[in-house]
Structure formats: C-alpha cells, structure tokens
Amino acid sequence: MDDVTKTDKMLARNDGGVGYVIFNNPERHNAVSLDMWDATSRILEGFANDEEVRVVVLTGAGGKAFVSGADISKFESERATLEATRRYNASVEKAYTGIQQFAKPTIAMIRGYCIGGGVGLAVCCDLRICSDNSRFAVPAAKLGLGYSYAGLRRLVDVVGPAFAREIFFTARQFDAEEASRMGLINRVVPEAELEAYVKNYAETIAANAPLTVKAVKYIIGEVMKDESTRNLARCAELVEQCFASNDFIEGRRAFMEKRKPAFTGK
C-alpha cells in the first residue's frame, strides 16, 4: 500500500505485519474531515486484503493528539444542510463500522487529546493504549450535536451505562487515570514509552495464531450482540477451522520442541 492515500491527511504503512492508520492533520489536533473518513475506509479495505497484515494500529500524527473529533472549520462546507450532514454521518459510520467489524485485531494508540469523534473511533478498536498525558472528552452537549444509537451503544459496551452518562452529560475532559478507571483504556504508559510499548504489543499479537485470534474476535463480537442476532453456526465454524489448520499442528509441535511457533494462518 502506498504511504499516502488520496488525501495526504491520512497515511498508511505496513511495518512487519502491523498496519498503521495515521490521522495526519496535526495543525488541527488531527480533527477529521469528510475526505479523511473516506480515506480511512479505503485504507482498512487495503489492510483487510493484505495477508501480511495481522494487526492494525490507529494513531494520530504530531505528538499532541490522537483525534480531536470533527474538523469544525469544515462544517459550513460539509455539514451545512441536513442532506450534507447525513452524507457526512454515513461516511463516519462506515469508517466506525469498518473498524469495529474488522476481522483482524485493532489497537488505538492514543497520545494527547482524544476528543469527540476520537473517543468514538477509539471505542471501535479492540484495544486502547494511551500515554499518561492523554485527555478524553465527548463535548456533544456543548455543541448541540446528536449522537446515534450505534455510537452510544459502542461506548456503553466499553464503559457501561453509568460512565457513558457521565461522559456525555458533563461533556468535560477526563485524564488518563480516570479513563482507565472507567474501563475506557486498557493500558496507560509513560508518554516517552508509548510507541515502543504499542509496537511490542502489536507484534506479540501478530506472532500468535491468526485463525485463533480471528475466531476469538468474531465470537466476542457475537457475545456482545442481542441473543436473537447471534450467528452461533459461524462461531462453531471458526473454531473448527482452528482445529483443522496447519497452525494447530505447528503449535503442538513447537510446544513439544520448545521453540517459537511460526504460524501462517492456514
């Protein structure tokens, strides 16, 4: 995949089986415009089709922000009418859904501000790792914005209804420690160690059996759904694929031979 997509505000690279999606608008704390959301979906589609990529990390450029939400300077051109707002919201939801339903593990690497749509983006990821100087908020109530069922459901699934209410009702900023206590964040690490920590974390996941990781991710996703909509047959199929794979043989042999397994995802 090319380092630069159709907009230079979104960057992508593959580093040793770890794909990186980089929001590159640092002069606006990585606020996201319509073309950036569209590019995000294109990058994810590329990583989904790249067998070398086993984990995807989403992060922001510039060192001061993950994503600070929508680019308000673009509201007049992108969200001035109801029709335009619907088009914008559809693009955002496509990106969010693409991340949430992505078959491979996703990690939000958060440094600095994670505001509004940045929180929405982060909760779509499987794991969230932040620096100790990170700040979180959803200021919708200060802007008069409506939030969709899907967006609120994702937040509630992560932090529970009580903290979701607090985040939205107060619209205030929370520090990394508060975010961790809420369950919004999996790990908080010193700012200087963030990139190395996430790189090691992602490479650890990438070295594990892809079929096992894929099955677990899918099944946990089904657990989170309403019981009537769960695809238990697909869950069973994915588990059977693990036991029928060459990786299952490789895992057993590597264990017996006391060596590191070399999984291929087949």
Side-chain angles (χ1 to χ4, degrees):
M1 181 179 294
D2 294 337
D3 275 354
V4 182
T5 61
K6 292 182 180 179
T7 170
D8 61 2
K9 299 295 185 184
M10 292 300 302
L11 306 178
R13 74 173 192 269
N14 178 355
D15 182 5
V18 180
Y20 287 83
V21 180
I22 304 166
F23 291 80
N24 184 41
N25 190 14
E27 64 274 13
R28 294 190 178 278
H29 288 132
N30 298 321
V32 189
S33 60
L34 179 62
D35 60 346
M36 291 171 69
W37 287 122
D38 288 340
T40 300
S41 294
R42 291 195 298 270
I43 292 170
L44 288 170
E45 288 170 6
F47 284 153
N49 295 321
D50 187 343
E51 292 186 0
E52 292 185 1
V53 173
R54 295 189 178 182
V55 182
V56 171
V57 174
L58 293 91
T59 193
K64 294 184 178 180
F66 173 63
V67 167
S68 62
D71 190 343
I72 296 177
S73 70
K74 299 277 190 178
F75 273 26
E76 285 300 315
S77 60
E78 295 181 352
R79 302 173 73 176
T81 66
L82 180 59
E83 181 179 352
T85 298
R86 285 172 176 165
R87 161 75 177 92
Y88 179 91
N89 290 344
S91 180
V92 174
E93 186 56 32
K94 179 181 178 182
Y96 282 174
T97 302
I99 296 165
Q100 185 180 25
Q101 297 181 356
F102 200 68
K104 304 170 186 180
T106 55
I107 303 172
M109 181 170 70
I110 301 165
R111 177 188 285 110
Y113 292 107
C114 180
I115 308 295
V119 173
L121 181 70
V123 298
C124 291
C125 296
D126 297 310
L127 300 170
R128 288 158 293 282
I129 302 173
C130 79
S131 61
D132 53 8
N133 65 342
S134 296
R135 305 286 295 183
F136 302 84
V138 183
K142 292 183 177 180
L143 295 168
L145 301 177
Y147 245 76
S148 70
Y149 173 88
L152 282 167
R153 173 66 186 266
R154 283 189 285 262
L155 182 64
V156 171
D157 283 345
V158 172
V159 303
F163 282 131
R165 293 186 188 102
E166 182 178 357
I167 290 169
F168 269 87
F169 290 177
T170 65
R172 72 175 182 88
Q173 288 192 12
F174 300 86
D175 62 23
E177 183 180 348
E178 289 178 288
S180 180
R181 289 201 302 267
M182 290 177 176
L184 181 60
I185 296 299
N186 293 85
R187 295 283 184 272
V188 179
V189 299
E191 196 266 344
E193 300 174 13
L194 179 65
E195 288 192 25
Y197 186 94
V198 171
K199 184 176 188 296
N200 177 263
Y201 224 73
E203 289 175 350
T204 297
I205 295 170
N208 288 331
L211 292 177
T212 300
V213 174
K214 176 182 177 181
V216 170
K217 174 163 182 173
Y218 182 87
I219 293 169
I220 290 175
E222 294 301 291
V223 170
M224 300 300 290
K225 293 180 180 179
D226 294 329
E227 186 173 1
S228 61
T229 64
R230 294 172 188 160
N231 188 344
L232 299 184
R234 178 58 177 162
C235 292
E237 180 183 350
L238 290 171
V239 172
E240 289 179 359
Q241 285 179 8
C242 294
F243 286 115
S245 70
N246 291 327
D247 278 354
F248 181 46
I249 298 172
E250 167 65 7
R252 298 198 312 271
R253 288 178 176 171
F255 179 81
M256 296 300 295
E257 296 167 9
K258 295 181 171 57
R259 61 174 175 83
K260 184 177 179 179
F263 294 119
T264 63
K266 298 178 181 176

